[in-house]
Every structure is written in C-alpha cells, then in structure tokens.
Amino acid sequence: MSIAPAVTKTVSIDRPVAEVYAFLADPANWSRWAVVNIQSIEPTTEPDWWPMSTPAGPAKLRLRAEAELGILDHDYVDDTASWRVPARVVPNGDGAEFMMTFYQPPGFTLEFFRDQINLVDTELATLKKILETSPSGNEE
C-alpha cells in the first residue's frame, strides 16, 4: 500500500462562515476566484456536473456539498485525469477558514504536482480579496 503525496492549503477570510460557504457552494462563482485553473464554468441540464474551460482544455466539476458540516468536496474530471479534492469551510472567530487537500494524481510527476499546488496560493488570495472587499462577494 502506498500513500500519495498530499498538500493542504488554507486561507483565513474575514467574513461570516455562512457567507463564505454560500459563495463557494455556487460553482458559478468558481471562475471568479479559481483564476489559474478555471477560465469559465457554466451550468447544464445535468445538475451535478458543471462543464468548464481550463488551461488544459475542457473539464467537469462536481461539488459534494454539505452545508451543516461545511463540506465542499469536489470532483474534477478531464480527458487525462480525475480526482477528488476534500474541502471545508470552518468557523474562525467571526470569520472563516477555507481549506482544501490535494493528493498527487497518478500520472503527475511530483515536480509538476508541486508546481500546480503552488498556483493555488494565487487563487486563495483572489478568493480572500473578493469576499473581504464586497459584502456579498459580488463586484460593485
């Protein structure tokens, strides 16, 4: 049995946990903050999967959300790989912590995996800025 390399990324957000969760639980918002990995995303008649454009080509996103527990696990599928990313929004005082754990997918070299994970810092900084500068997460 082997264990895949894993990295957990976290960002503190000075907004109520319910507001952070609501923003992240709507896949339509993901292209606003996941700016490195998602170029566009749109709903379809298939309610669970959201097609999206990524730098690597077309892909699909599915959220496995559970508001009561702050769960925002999501599945990612493209033509070359698929994986699940465990994600949580938890209270931190009057604000929230958003965290995601990434496991190295089969077929990714460790160096490529680490390079991709480092890009997530840009996305989390974008998420923080959006939610802390706009009460609803909507641009004004």
Side-chain angles (χ1 to χ4, degrees):
M1 176 185 266
S2 66
I3 296 175
V7 175
T8 299
K9 294 285 187 165
T10 300
V11 63
S12 300
I13 302 172
D14 190 13
R15 300 289 314 155
V17 69
E19 291 177 20
V20 173
Y21 185 89
F23 181 83
L24 288 166
D26 183 354
N29 291 324
W30 283 47
S31 63
R32 293 182 52 207
W33 67 270
V35 294
V36 173
N37 290 301
I38 300 176
Q39 296 167 327
S40 67
I41 189 166
E42 57 189 58
T44 66
T45 55
E46 187 179 358
D48 291 338
W49 287 99
W50 287 63
M52 56 187 181
S53 296
T54 75
K60 297 187 298 184
L61 175 77
R62 173 176 55 188
L63 285 179
R64 296 176 177 271
E66 174 57 55
E68 184 178 337
L69 300 174
I71 296 172
L72 285 168
D73 292 1
H74 48 285
D75 299 318
Y76 173 89
V77 176
D78 69 18
D79 290 340
T80 63
S82 66
W83 57 86
R84 178 169 294 160
V85 177
R88 302 292 182 272
V89 177
V90 298
N92 179 353
D94 294 333
E97 293 291 319
F98 176 53
M99 60 194 91
M100 297 185 287
T101 299
F102 300 92
Y103 300 96
Q104 179 183 343
F108 279 25
T109 66
L110 185 57
E111 180 180 20
F112 180 74
F113 173 65
R114 287 182 177 152
D115 289 346
Q116 295 304 301
I117 293 307
N118 288 336
L119 297 173
V120 173
D121 293 334
T122 299
E123 295 182 333
L124 295 179
T126 301
L127 175 65
K128 179 179 179 72
K129 182 178 179 186
I130 289 169
L131 290 174
E132 289 184 353
T133 60
S134 175
S136 64
N138 293 323
E139 298 186 51
E140 297 177 4

